[in-house]
Amino acid sequence: MANQGRFPDYISPMKISYFDGKPTTIHLRKCRIVTLEIANRREWTFEHGLITVGSHDDNNLVVHGETISPHHAQIIQEDDAYVIRDLDSVTGTYVNQVRIKEAYLSPGCQMRFGSEEFIFQPLDEDVAVVPSNEEKFGDIIGGNVKMREIYGILEKIAPTNATVVIEGETGTGKEVVAHTLHKMSLRAKKPFVVFDCGAVPESLIESELFGHEKGSFTGAIMTRQGLFELAQGGTIFLDELGELNLELQPKLLRVLENREVRRVGAAKAIPVDVRVIAATNRKLEEEVKNNHFREDLFYRLSVVRIFLPPLRDRIDDLPLLVKHFLKNSSFNRDRNSNLKLRSISCQALKAMQNYRWPGNVRELLNVVERACSLADGDCIEIGDLPEYVARCAGVEEPKPAPAPLPVPDPAPVVETPAPAGNESSIKMSAFTNKTFKDAKEAWLSAFEGDYLKAVLERNNYNISRAARESEIDRKYLRKLMKKYDIVAPDSSDNGNDED
């Protein structure tokens, strides 16, 4: 393959980064293949990143004839060009009467597979992007202008095969966006396969993604398809892409460039037709600068980049989200499938709108589910919310009051016992020289740090067990560990997620 700097300039890639800017157009890429014979003219239009050609019915372009191999050739959509590649066919692949192994395709060039001749025509299309007028797009809920602008992007790219990277904080709904893109695409009837790059041990990731042959390693007692093969014709969603280690990143890059996978221990690659959607809560540009993520993979993935805003930046969507959860969630149904809760009080809503929601929409869903379990009537009241949310309303929740702050010296120092299993305590005297609001925030911060240390020590720094005991999301627990600089001791299992 020639250097990318020498790519022809007649095809512009479909690349768009959407953050707070307002792109006016998206450049969509398609191509048309037309028979050279005018009398029986036929044509095909493709948006595929990979177009396979051959006599077998599993090809995108099926060409019958004695001179055509079952899998004759493939046309690959590169960043800035289309490349045709012969697949060791018997009668060869020709571009402008020259037999090739691999070559760039120019507009109007002639292609010959065996004795069948065609004309290649790239189709560029500039599509205007405007904010949607809707308050939802597929499974995505939100009427905030930032969300409606994103809907305008999603509406245009969903029917294409463009690779998409979704960025945003934990809990902002990246998987919901990925699933919606799949449901709105031409691949909707094909598989949607999810792979969490941070949840599988590094030693198994390659086998999970690409499959393995029988006997390729200890324990490989049978041949197994990888997730790319299982997603054939559909979409694969790579969640927490930033967790993928550097050793595996070149292998993922080869899959994206060649549109084929090689199972562990296999000698032959297998063609795949899969749309790739990835998500990360890391800032990939910073990861590239810090040499934690390959630059070439970053640019290969970043065909379309979308940043989902945190819930605190679209807090006006909160009533809409609560209404949606109450109406559609199974936890708000009784045995007869009737709604248990139908509304939320003004006081409870005010508290929820004042809260910062570090866990974003996922945390909101958990709070609503909790309220549905505790509520006595058909309305969410302030007392049905967790204390840390309820106090944001500006009034105390009708529950036992916390230990009071100590009076100034010479009164004795008041200490609040730390959580069970931790010998340390939070010295309240350290906060008496602050305002009430600042003292309360400092006390809560100290409590969080001590609580996390206690629950992690009690579970031998096993993050999954600690998360279950504390009833918080595992990824959010990791985030809190980083916030409070909590690192597993060398003698522990170093935060192993396995039970």
Side-chain angles (χ1 to χ4, degrees):
M1 294 287 291
N3 185 284
Q4 285 194 5
R6 297 172 57 190
F7 277 359
D9 58 4
Y10 52 80
I11 297 179
S12 300
M14 187 183 89
K15 289 211 170 187
I16 178 170
S17 293
Y18 183 80
F19 291 88
D20 290 329
K22 299 180 181 180
T24 56
T25 61
I26 296 180
H27 193 87
L28 300 181
R29 296 182 57 189
K30 304 178 184 178
C31 70
R32 178 187 294 133
I33 298 176
V34 184
T35 55
L36 187 62
E37 184 181 357
I38 299 178
N40 296 310
R41 180 185 174 91
R42 297 179 62 195
E43 65 178 53
W44 299 262
T45 299
F46 296 102
E47 295 180 356
H48 298 63
L50 171 69
I51 305 166
T52 56
V53 183
S55 60
H56 197 280
D57 290 341
D58 63 357
N59 289 286
N60 304 116
L61 176 57
V62 180
V63 184
H64 297 294
E66 296 180 357
T67 60
I68 307 297
S69 298
H71 298 96
H72 198 104
Q74 58 184 204
I75 299 171
I76 303 168
Q77 192 181 92
E78 290 284 3
D79 278 349
D80 297 301
Y82 285 93
V83 176
I84 187 170
R85 181 180 299 157
D86 184 74
L87 299 179
D88 298 324
S89 62
V90 176
T91 54
T93 298
Y94 294 77
V95 175
N96 291 335
Q97 309 307 318
V98 177
R99 185 166 182 169
I100 58 94
K101 177 64 179 175
E102 186 172 280
Y104 291 114
L105 294 175
S106 59
C109 70
Q110 293 185 16
M111 304 180 298
R112 177 155 61 89
F113 311 108
S115 60
E116 304 297 323
E117 295 183 294
F118 302 86
I119 297 175
F120 175 79
Q121 299 173 338
L123 299 177
D124 290 356
E125 181 182 1
D126 289 325
V127 179
V129 176
V130 295
S132 171
N133 294 322
E134 303 296 327
E135 292 186 333
K136 63 178 296 186
F137 181 80
D139 298 329
I140 313 169
I141 306 298
N144 180 274
V145 64
K146 292 184 178 181
M147 297 303 296
R148 291 190 291 107
E149 288 168 347
I150 290 175
Y151 298 164
I153 302 290
L154 299 178
E155 185 177 359
K156 301 302 181 184
I157 66 173
T160 74
N161 291 288
T163 302
V164 181
V165 175
I166 307 166
E167 300 177 66
E169 295 179 8
T170 297
T172 48
K174 297 184 287 293
E175 184 171 344
V176 175
V177 173
H179 198 260
T180 297
L181 278 171
H182 174 73
K183 292 204 305 186
M184 298 290 188
S185 74
L186 302 177
R187 299 172 178 264
K189 296 183 179 179
K190 297 293 185 178
F192 177 77
V193 177
V194 179
F195 179 73
D196 188 338
C197 300
V200 178
E202 292 183 1
S203 58
L204 298 178
I205 290 180
E206 184 175 4
S207 174
E208 286 288 319
L209 284 175
F210 311 132
H212 62 255
E213 295 291 333
K214 180 180 179 180
S216 57
F217 55 85
T218 303
I221 59 175
M222 61 184 294
T223 297
R224 179 182 178 184
Q225 288 183 313
L227 296 181
F228 271 93
E229 289 183 69
L230 294 175
Q232 182 73 4
T235 302
I236 186 168
F237 174 53
L238 304 177
D239 197 9
E240 300 300 343
L241 178 70
E243 305 294 331
L244 193 66
N245 68 48
L246 282 169
E247 293 181 2
L248 285 171
Q249 290 177 21
K251 298 178 181 180
L252 176 59
L253 178 63
R254 283 196 292 273
V255 174
L256 295 173
E257 289 183 337
N258 300 330
R259 297 292 168 173
E260 60 185 23
V261 297
R262 189 186 302 274
R263 294 175 184 166
V264 177
K268 186 177 180 181
I270 302 170
V272 290
D273 176 19
V274 174
R275 182 183 192 175
V276 177
I277 300 176
T280 179
N281 59 8
R282 299 191 181 190
K283 295 181 179 179
L284 287 185
E285 284 148 325
E286 292 183 5
E287 295 295 303
V288 171
K289 292 177 182 178
N290 295 329
N291 296 319
H292 295 155
F293 200 85
R294 288 178 63 101
E295 185 177 21
D296 48 3
L297 179 58
F298 170 73
Y299 286 114
R300 188 66 185 83
L301 284 166
S302 300
V303 177
V304 178
R305 294 174 63 202
I306 294 175
F307 179 81
L308 294 183
L311 181 56
R312 61 182 173 273
D313 289 347
R314 58 180 187 108
I315 202 66
D316 52 320
D317 279 339
L318 190 142
L320 191 65
L321 287 164
V322 172
K323 179 180 178 181
H324 173 77
F325 294 150
L326 292 178
K327 181 179 179 181
N328 297 283
S329 298
S330 59
F331 57 70
N332 192 34
R333 299 280 177 175
D334 59 21
R335 294 181 179 180
N336 298 319
S337 298
N338 297 319
L339 292 178
K340 294 190 292 184
L341 300 184
R342 298 179 179 275
S343 60
I344 180 171
S345 70
C346 293
Q347 192 179 30
L349 183 61
K350 178 183 177 182
M352 296 173 80
Q353 289 178 317
N354 289 340
Y355 180 60
R356 294 289 291 170
W357 299 105
N360 293 293
V361 180
R362 182 186 292 124
E363 184 183 8
L364 173 63
L365 176 62
N366 292 339
V367 168
V368 173
E369 182 175 2
R370 177 186 187 275
C372 288
S373 301
L374 298 178
D376 294 326
D378 63 353
C379 177
I380 298 177
E381 300 291 349
I382 190 73
D384 302 323
L385 302 179
E387 183 179 356
Y388 60 87
V389 177
R391 62 169 167 258
C392 294
V395 297
E396 291 298 326
E397 190 178 5
K399 290 185 178 181
L405 287 171
V407 296
D409 290 335
V413 173
V414 179
E415 294 187 353
T416 302
N422 189 352
E423 298 297 330
S424 64
S425 62
I426 303 171
K427 296 183 181 299
M428 299 300 295
S429 60
F431 310 129
T432 56
N433 292 327
K434 303 177 182 290
T435 65
F436 176 79
K437 179 180 178 182
D438 291 343
K440 183 171 69 171
E441 291 180 354
W443 186 89
L444 288 172
S445 179
F447 164 77
E448 282 186 344
D450 277 11
Y451 177 84
L452 283 173
K453 290 177 184 176
V455 76
L456 285 165
E457 288 174 1
R458 191 159 55 249
N459 289 279
N460 197 26
Y461 284 82
N462 184 297
I463 293 175
S464 294
R465 290 201 295 266
R468 282 197 294 271
E469 179 180 325
S470 55
E471 296 185 0
I472 61 177
D473 183 75
R474 176 170 56 84
K475 295 176 183 177
Y476 183 51
L477 191 145
R478 283 184 178 276
K479 184 176 180 181
L480 289 175
M481 288 177 64
K482 184 176 181 181
K483 176 181 177 181
Y484 295 107
D485 295 324
I486 300 175
V487 181
D490 294 337
S491 59
S492 75
D493 63 2
N494 200 26
N496 188 1
D497 284 344
E498 296 180 354
D499 292 329

